[in-house]
Amino acid sequence: MGIRHSNNPCSSLLLCFVVLLLLVSSCSGNSNVGVRCMESERQQLLDFKEGLMDPFGRLSSWVGLDCCKWQGVRCKNRTGHVTVLNLQNYHLGGTIKPSLLHLKHLTHLNLAENFFGGTQIPKFLGMLNNLRYLDLHSSGYGGEIPPHLGNLSHLQVLYLGGNFGLRAESLVWLSGLSSLESLDLARVDLYDVRGSWLKAVNMLPSLVRLYLDGCQLKSLDLTLPSLNLTSLEVLELFDNPIKSPLPHWFSNLTNLQVLDLRSNNFYGSIPFWIGSLCKLRILRLNSNRLHGGIMGVLDRFSACQNNSLEILYLGGNYLVGSLPQSLGALRNLQELDLNTNFFWGSIPASIGNLSSLELLELSDNNFNGTIPESFGRLAKLSTVSLVSNQMEGVLTETHLANLTRLDSFRLTTYHNKSLVFNLKHDWVPPFRLTTLVLINCLIGPSFPVWLLVQTNLSYVIVSNAGISDIVEEEWFARLFSSCWFVDLSNNSITAKLPPRIFSEMLEKVDLSRNNFVGQIPLWETNATQLYLQRNSFSGSIPENIGELMPRLKTFFVSRNQISGRLPSSICKMMGLKFLSVSHNRLSGQLPDCWNKLRSLKAVDASNNSLSGEIPSSLTSLCHLILLMLGDNNLHGDIPFPPNSCRQVPLLYILQLRSNLLGGNIPEEICRLSNMRSLDLSNNHLIGSIPKCLHNFTALKYGNRSLDYEELFDLQDGTINEQTMLVGTKGRELEYSRTLLEVKNIDLSENNLIGEFPKGICRLAFLDTLNLSTNYLSGSIPDNIGDMRWLESLDLSVNKFSGPIPSSLSSLTLLNHLKLSYNNLSGRIPTGYQLQTLNDSSNYQGNPLLCGVPLLTRCPGDINSPPTPSSLGGSKDKLWLYLSIAMGYIVGFWGVCGTLVMKESWRQAYFRYVDELKEKLLLWIALTSARSRRMIEKGNN
């Protein structure tokens, strides 16, 4: 439709005005049209460019006569003067030349996110008098901040943060920046400034944003009556070692919108007045040392007419109490993080009012109540973590049906499965999770449909959930193709895995303690941890497993029904740390390629049918901590090749029991100074016991050579799943979680000869020594009493002779002793711990022994008259027992008997008790009332 012609003079006038406006806008709308940059300033920019290193050619556009068209340069519309130089993230280096001083109209200079090699910030920048914006953050500057920057009186924004080599000894120069609105000194070292930084900042009345995170600040000036920073909206002081209570002058900052004090050492309770900062949108006080409750603070926040709080982080403190109902008044709250505190009770029902809540993090507390049904009203909830609590009760569809945005759900309780998922078996939820963690919650016995339909999972743990159902093979195929972490351990799931599994993202799989059957699949994956122990897998380990899973670090398939040989391709897993194939049906020889596995720390192949000799490459590994090959058919000598380790080998546990090993115990074994458990029992070893076993310094001094990282690796990845039989205290005990604490030497049931090495008695921290069923002779060393931590000693079925050393009675922890079937003679020592070991079978088979507990009397004992000392001792014991009996009779009947016999006294006594109880209850009530009044007065 055309434009209708009009003779209205007003319309003509309006048309002329529009045309004029278009002409003006066309002339002035583009600063680079019509007016070119000043030639002198163009030359200065080129000179400035010559000092820079530009490896990516970001300044290649700096050619031609009009510098206003150059990248990163902006000019004033009418005059062509350069006003803005923005070179952020240009990857520049080199030197900032003083030619910038000739850009007299420069108001905005941004050189952030470049790298200037730790050089000092140029002092001449303090002469750019018109500068209003200076951004040098994350640019690799170092040294002292030049105080000349304090001359920039028009400066409104100063960003120097992220320069890790930058420091300041004083901030007095800040007082010259009277117009400053935003100051960023994050990661600048202000250690030498000490407490004076606050006074310097307090001289900036226009300041709106202050960033001082990670500045090595240690204190706050608590003597300041108030702050002049009444315009401050953002205050970030996180990642400092500030040790202080929260200062009261924070309450003056009534315009504050962001307060971030996390990762400091603030202590004391959270003051109620923080809840009066009604404009706060973000409050982060996590990772401090704050204690007490949060009811008063939340009550104050809920009283604000226009409550703005969106993010509340209080995790990692020592806060206690239950969550108040006033929590539900924070209707704008989007993120709530209270993790790692000591909160208890139930989640309040008012939480359903938080309609904007997206993140709920309550893990690592003592919550021991229920999850309310109002939880199901949190329609925007995306992330929930209730890990490591003691939640109880029942979850139904009402709790979950409206959570359409739920993406991550984590919930763990204690082992008693006190939290039950009571959902219909065929219920289909509205959410599709990417992360699911459910530990010790009762979900089973059937495998629920709501879990089967979760097709977006990438991280899943459903452990000890009471599931005892059959699961189809196809579901596992989908799961492994999309996840990088899968843990379905400690259930009774019956399933057969797909024969071949391919996944580049898969890192950890834990299917342990279930009823999986069939062969171990061909895993083509980059996984580093594979736990399949305690199932019913059969068949053999894939011959090419080393090629299929070259990045594997932990491989556990113990306690299955696996047969065949241990494939040599395992040696292609160059990063392998933990290998456990025990309690299976493996046969054949061990591969001889272990010297390629330099990171190997633990090998457990015990309780199989392995044969052949122990490969020397296995015992030569310098970082091996645990080697368990017991209960097999291994033969030959114990191999200990020449020492090739730069440091002392780390071997802690060597268990070769119940094999067919022969030869001598090699002297080289004494190099294993970290040895804590040596078990060579039930073999065919000959020769004498090495006299150098006292070189086991870990048993001599009780020291531990493993660092915390190695201990964590062992405890977390290995020891918690390993078991080891230890012959101690006359029976075999199975150790698992405390395996690293076992300290024993067991050389029993061999053909060893020679004497008891005296050096063994210097192993003061040894708790079990078993040398039984050998051909050892000679006497028991007199210094055996030096083994002060010894609990079990078995020297039975040998040829020891001579008397039993009297020092044996000083072993106060000894609770198992076997010296039977030797050639010992003389009187059996008495006293202390030996009096409790009065079983005659401990000494039988020694015809020349006499004395208690044997019936054989020693020479001189028969018809010997009692000595005066023995008579005196008997009399003393008699008087002791009589005194105890008389004291009991007098004490009991002197009090209770009188009350029974005399009614008036009995009534007076109970009347006194009642009065005392009433006084105590009155005192408690008065004290509680005073405390409440003081608290209410403090709140007001």
Side-chain angles (χ1 to χ4, degrees), residues 36-48 64-68 70 79-82 98-105:
R36 293 193 308 191
C37 73
M38 305 294 291
E39 176 59 23
S40 60
E41 294 185 1
R42 187 181 76 88
Q43 293 296 332
Q44 297 303 327
L45 286 174
L46 290 175
D47 184 62
F48 166 73
L65 297 178
D66 191 357
C67 63
C68 295
W70 293 354
T79 63
H81 287 297
V82 175
S99 50
L100 287 179
L101 292 176
H102 297 282
L103 305 179
K104 301 294 185 182
H105 298 271

Side-chain angles (χ1 to χ4, degrees), residues 295-365:
M295 181 179 295
V297 179
L298 295 187
D299 287 349
R300 288 288 184 93
F301 272 126
S302 63
C304 294
Q305 290 184 351
N306 297 313
N307 184 277
S308 304
L309 199 61
E310 298 174 0
I311 296 176
L312 177 59
Y313 278 35
L314 301 177
N317 284 287
Y318 301 95
L319 302 173
V320 298
S322 57
L323 300 185
Q325 292 292 338
S326 56
L327 176 64
L330 307 180
R331 297 181 181 273
N332 294 312
L333 202 62
Q334 298 174 14
E335 298 181 13
L336 175 62
D337 186 347
L338 304 178
N339 82 87
T340 319
N341 279 290
F342 298 94
F343 293 111
W344 62 71
S346 300
I347 298 174
S350 64
I351 198 171
N353 299 329
L354 305 181
S355 56
S356 299
L357 196 65
E358 299 175 6
L359 179 146
L360 178 62
E361 170 59 272
L362 302 179
S363 60
D364 293 292
N365 277 282

Side-chain angles (χ1 to χ4, degrees), residues 582-648:
S582 67
H583 294 85
N584 279 290
R585 301 172 182 174
L586 295 174
S587 59
Q589 295 184 351
L590 289 167
D592 191 6
C593 55
W594 303 96
N595 52 339
K596 299 177 182 179
L597 304 178
R598 300 296 183 183
S599 300
L600 197 61
K601 295 181 182 293
V603 175
D604 184 2
S606 59
N607 292 88
N608 281 285
S609 299
L610 297 171
S611 59
E613 297 185 355
I614 300 175
S616 59
S617 60
L618 185 55
T619 57
S620 65
L621 294 172
C622 301
H623 297 284
L624 195 65
I625 296 171
L626 183 149
L627 177 59
M628 298 168 60
L629 301 177
D631 293 279
N632 280 288
N633 298 316
L634 299 170
H635 63 263
D637 295 343
I638 300 175
F640 269 90
N643 186 14
S644 58
C645 301
R646 295 182 180 179
Q647 298 177 337
V648 176

Side-chain angles (χ1 to χ4, degrees), residues 151 181 213 266 303 311 367 494 515 524 681 744 897 910:
N151 298 327
E181 297 178 2
D213 46 286
F266 286 106
I311 296 176
F367 288 109
T494 300
N515 294 320
E524 292 185 69
S681 63
N744 78 304
F910 287 115

Side-chain angles (χ1 to χ4, degrees), residues 640-644 648-649 667-674 695-696:
F640 269 90
N643 186 14
S644 58
V648 176
E667 293 283 337
E668 291 86 354
I669 204 170
C670 298
R671 294 203 311 265
L672 305 176
S673 59
N674 297 304
N695 290 335
F696 292 168

